[in-house]
Amino acid sequence: MAKNKLNKNWLHDHINDPYVKAAQKDGYRARAAYKLKEIDEDEKLIKPGQIIVDLGCTPGSWGQYTRRKLAVGNGINGTIIGLDILPMEPIADMHYIQGDFREQEVLDQLADVLQGRKVDLVLSDMAPNLSGIATADAARMEDLIDIALEFAQLHMKPGGALLVKCFKDMGFSQIVEKFRAEFKTVAQKKPKASRDKSSEIFLLGRGLKHPAP
């Protein structure tokens, strides 16, 4: 009974969520688009001509928002690359690579798109499947952050930026320390589109301290 009540409460909140309604109206695949929109408007992250990589891009609302920001005429001024293990419906002008970006085959496909160019902005809205066991969930979250950090170190321009999703109750202080060790500036962002009940928070690192050669 309790589970059914929780599901009903969630469904009620979801249906009445202003960001869910806005996503339906604006043609976004998920309300998450407004989290990126708010952070972007605040931090001026997405600019014409950039090379942007979206890690864990499915279902694609961040890619949709990014594409709209780079739109020029019938195309875009810039490059958007999405990577995910899960399949995704195509987004116009976005290069989508399905697979695990730690595997060589996927990295080879990425290299084909980049053609030796470095990335301006790395986005990650990735989150682990939660087990409910706090220590295990924190370790999974930290692992995803480590993957995003490693990706940024390898592929990002020295002055580039990395935006990742974290949770305040999942090893957050250790993750912040890792960011401070790698980036010149680190900011914590809690957009209004993040649900109040959620411990979700975004970390933005700018300017690599130890860029790859």
Side-chain angles (χ1 to χ4, degrees), residues 149-169:
L149 274 170
E150 188 180 342
F151 185 93
Q153 286 159 344
L154 287 172
H155 299 288
M156 209 166 76
K157 290 177 183 174
L162 169 65
L163 178 70
V164 300
K165 174 156 73 181
C166 309
F167 293 93
K168 276 277 181 95
D169 52 0

Side-chain angles (χ1 to χ4, degrees), residues 10 13-14 17-24 28-37 59 61-62 125 192-196 200:
W10 180 88
D13 290 349
H14 185 74
D17 185 315
Y19 292 102
V20 172
K21 290 177 177 175
Q24 290 164 349
Y28 285 121
R29 295 175 186 178
R31 68 194 294 290
Y34 299 100
K35 299 173 191 176
L36 179 58
K37 182 176 188 286
S61 65
W62 279 25
D125 194 29
K192 292 186 186 76
S194 268
R195 290 189 169 102
D196 293 337
E200 175 184 77

Side-chain angles (χ1 to χ4, degrees), residues 51-175:
I51 300 167
I52 298 169
V53 173
D54 184 0
L55 302 175
C57 59
T58 301
S61 65
W62 279 25
Q64 287 178 301
Y65 173 77
T66 304
R67 197 231 169 259
R68 291 182 193 188
K69 277 297 298 271
L70 299 182
V72 178
N74 293 324
I76 60 169
N77 178 8
T79 304
I80 311 168
I81 306 161
L83 300 123
D84 205 310
I85 292 169
L86 301 170
M88 187 185 79
E89 288 290 318
I91 293 170
D93 305 306
M94 180 175 178
H95 302 272
Y96 170 64
I97 301 167
Q98 186 176 349
D100 187 333
F101 52 84
R102 290 168 293 182
E103 291 177 1
Q104 195 57 47
E105 183 188 349
V106 174
L107 290 173
D108 289 345
Q109 290 179 61
L110 177 66
D112 285 345
V113 180
L114 289 175
Q115 295 288 308
R117 300 172 300 167
K118 290 282 189 179
V119 175
D120 295 282
L121 176 62
V122 178
L123 303 171
S124 171
D125 194 29
M126 293 188 295
N129 291 322
L130 301 181
S131 65
I133 302 164
T135 50
D137 290 340
R140 285 184 184 137
M141 190 72 236
E142 197 166 348
D143 186 41
L144 288 179
I145 301 289
D146 286 344
I147 292 164
L149 274 170
E150 188 180 342
F151 185 93
Q153 286 159 344
L154 287 172
H155 299 288
M156 209 166 76
K157 290 177 183 174
L162 169 65
L163 178 70
V164 300
K165 174 156 73 181
C166 309
F167 293 93
K168 276 277 181 95
D169 52 0
M170 289 190 205
F172 183 64
S173 55
Q174 297 97 297
I175 292 167

